[in-house]
Amino acid sequence: MAERVDIAEREIRVLVENGEYWLRNRGDIAMMVVTVERIRERWPRARIGVLTHQPGVLRALVPEAEPICGPGWSWGSEGWQGLLNRTAGTKLVGPAALWWRATTDGPKDRLRAIRTRGRGESAAPQEHAVAPELEFPVEIPAAVEQASLVLANGGGYMTDVDRYQAHRTLNLLEYASALDIPTALIGQGMGPMRDPYLVQRAAEVLPKVDVVALREGRRGPELLGEFGVAPDRVLVTGDDAVEFAYRSRDARIGADIGVCLRVADYAQVSLEAQGIVGQVVRTRATELDAGLVPLIISEYASEDRLSTLPLLVGAAKPLPPVGRGGTPADVARQVGQCRVLVTSAYHLAVFALSQGIPAVGITASEYYDDKFHGLAQMFGTGLRVVHLNDPKLEQELTMALDELWDDAPALRDPLQQRAVDQIDAGRSGLERVFGLVENGPVRPVQRGG
């Protein structure tokens, strides 16, 4: 076996579908960092390509991966030219790209918000009745044909809320399977999924995928069963960002309250609920003599900033958010200074629980109901879910925050142990994925790609 792995490793190319091509969500980036690290540990000489629209930013954030981007969507050069390109990208292009985006995103997002308000656009999600082959034409990256493994990285995009990314991923997996290239989904959140076209495509493609590793066991296994996926291909491993956040844990109990409120078409929150959340976190922070930390996980259209920063107006001890160029590690360290979180962003709850810090998950949609309840099931304790449409929101949120503040010391060890369990499960699941390549036929790579 050792000889076989050594032979295959010289030819291995892993193509990673990362779920968020613009690299503006720090939770998705954290999952990708862990996935790439785990692949590199197993196959130090393999090529790991990540599909992205932001090659420079990828170089800055995940230097162990190489960007696969348009217009060709092909693997880059090998040899000295490839080494030179990778070195320049990591040391020069990557940092410059991250700086440029951090500098320009603020004005662009403010202008976008003004234009959106000027057009009177509704935040309500739109109904779709267009066949996927018309709305989502098949665009298969050329790099897949030279891949030894196609791996769809963790995310919550297999759902009606993100139909474009769901169809794009299904198209890629279907094409790879037709070429007899091993395929896997890892760290996935499944559903809600009721769109008839998406359900049809999922039932056509997912049973052909070799391994499906889920980040929760509440909804995903049942939904995959409805699609016809064989139970022996399904694993429940937890979120891959758990390991990323666990590394930032601190022996000391934090003294701050972290908060994030996201308002988007898939996470609608009434103005009344926004006001109540702000009032509760400011009041409790003042009475507990705690700093109030705005936590920013998504920079897409500044959605987390625009909804969260106003909550701190009038706070006794407001603290600054991470800069727009901040990394997932920066946010994980901010979370580590908190004693408790109030968040409508799923991955901030992952960052907290993995470090042994309790959190209140606030939700106003079925999409986030499933995310938070699934996460609560994986950790077993330390996460209270409060619905933003609850007529007793103020009382429920205050009670949940106070209880978790008091229980934080006792919850620390149990939460961290559940994090370790999920890290082990995630690594075990990836062992099965590695076996698809190592125990299967060696597929020579076509040179020149």
Side-chain angles (χ1 to χ4, degrees):
M1 176 61 68
E3 181 180 1
R4 180 177 183 77
V5 173
D6 184 65
I7 292 172
E9 188 182 331
R10 290 197 296 267
E11 302 291 341
I12 290 173
R13 297 189 187 189
V14 181
L15 183 63
V16 178
E17 166 60 77
N18 74 351
E20 204 280 284
Y21 284 27
W22 292 102
L23 304 179
R24 283 185 165 88
N25 186 297
R26 295 184 176 95
D28 293 337
I29 294 167
M31 289 187 290
M32 183 177 16
V33 167
V34 170
T35 297
V36 170
E37 286 179 353
R38 290 172 174 175
I39 297 171
R40 182 63 68 207
E41 288 173 6
R42 180 60 163 240
W43 298 319
R45 290 181 288 173
R47 297 183 68 178
I48 307 170
V50 174
L51 297 167
T52 181
H53 293 316
Q54 295 282 307
V57 174
L58 181 74
R59 289 292 194 195
L61 297 174
V62 196
E64 287 293 310
E66 57 183 286
I68 306 294
C69 53
W73 298 97
S74 299
W75 297 90
S77 303
E78 295 188 84
W80 285 107
Q81 182 180 354
L83 178 61
L84 181 62
N85 289 340
R86 289 192 291 275
T87 302
T90 301
K91 296 184 178 298
L92 301 174
V93 177
L98 205 57
W99 174 86
W100 176 253
R101 191 168 75 174
T103 303
T104 60
D105 269 9
K108 287 188 296 185
D109 288 342
R110 284 191 291 273
L111 182 60
R112 183 186 297 114
I114 292 171
R115 287 174 175 171
T116 300
R117 288 195 297 268
R119 290 194 299 265
E121 294 181 6
S122 169
Q126 301 298 310
E127 295 295 327
H128 297 276
V130 181
E133 62 269 19
L134 300 178
E135 190 176 2
F136 310 113
V138 177
E139 299 178 29
I140 303 299
V144 69
E145 297 186 2
Q146 286 82 46
S148 311
L149 170 68
V150 173
L151 183 67
N153 199 42
Y157 49 84
M158 283 294 173
T159 173
D160 294 339
V161 168
D162 198 356
R163 294 170 71 252
Y164 177 80
Q165 180 57 36
H167 280 287
R168 177 162 61 181
T169 302
L170 291 170
N171 289 342
L172 176 65
L173 293 170
E174 182 180 55
Y175 189 82
S177 294
L179 295 176
D180 293 326
I181 298 171
T183 57
L185 290 136
I186 62 171
Q188 292 292 323
M190 288 280 171
M193 194 183 296
R194 298 186 183 90
D195 176 86
Y197 293 121
L198 184 53
V199 168
Q200 177 183 338
R201 287 294 289 145
E204 291 170 349
V205 176
L206 293 180
K208 304 173 187 175
V209 175
D210 297 295
V211 175
V212 182
L214 300 171
R215 64 189 187 190
E216 53 80 28
R218 181 173 183 263
R219 298 285 191 193
E222 180 181 359
L223 190 56
L224 289 172
E226 293 173 3
F227 295 150
V229 179
D232 61 355
R233 297 191 178 198
V234 179
L235 307 170
V236 178
T237 60
D239 195 292
D240 296 317
V242 168
E243 179 170 349
F244 184 94
Y246 180 76
R247 298 170 187 167
S248 297
R249 69 195 185 281
D250 195 310
R252 298 166 296 180
I253 301 289
D256 300 328
I257 295 175
V259 61
C260 178
L261 178 66
R262 180 175 303 168
V263 180
D265 57 358
Y266 56 89
Q268 294 181 354
V269 182
S270 70
L271 289 174
E272 180 183 8
Q274 293 177 51
I276 292 173
V277 171
Q279 177 185 338
V280 169
V281 296
R282 289 192 302 270
T283 299
R284 301 315 299 141
T286 299
E287 295 181 356
L288 295 166
D289 193 28
L292 191 57
V293 188
L295 299 169
I296 310 299
I297 202 76
S298 172
E299 296 288 0
Y300 174 75
S302 294
E303 58 187 0
D304 286 358
R305 291 181 186 274
L306 292 174
S307 304
T308 302
L309 297 186
L311 304 182
L312 276 71
V313 175
K317 295 171 64 175
L319 297 172
V322 70
R324 290 179 184 273
T327 67
D330 294 331
V331 175
R333 283 190 289 269
Q334 276 190 318
V335 170
Q337 301 306 306
C338 297
R339 185 182 177 105
V340 66
L341 261 64
V342 176
T343 176
S344 64
Y346 159 84
H347 264 116
L348 283 172
V350 173
F351 280 13
L353 298 171
S354 303
Q355 297 183 61
I357 300 165
V360 182
I362 49 177
T363 170
S365 67
E366 184 184 17
Y367 178 61
Y368 276 100
D369 288 349
D370 284 355
K371 281 190 171 190
F372 282 125
H373 283 294
L375 184 63
Q377 187 180 74
M378 293 301 295
F379 276 90
T381 188
L383 178 59
R384 289 282 300 276
V385 182
V386 174
H387 208 283
L388 290 165
N389 296 332
D390 190 325
K392 296 182 179 180
L393 173 60
E394 182 176 355
Q395 299 95 309
E396 291 295 326
L397 182 55
T398 300
M399 182 168 51
L401 200 162
D402 285 348
E403 288 180 357
L404 292 177
W405 179 276
D406 292 339
D407 294 345
L411 290 170
R412 200 166 190 82
D413 287 345
L415 287 173
Q416 289 186 358
Q417 182 57 55
R418 293 301 290 265
V420 170
D421 294 342
Q422 291 174 71
I423 292 167
D424 291 343
R427 287 182 168 271
S428 177
L430 209 51
E431 284 291 319
R432 280 189 56 175
V433 176
F434 293 146
L436 299 175
V437 177
E438 295 175 355
N439 301 328
V442 177
R443 186 174 183 274
V445 173
Q446 300 175 21
R447 295 295 179 182

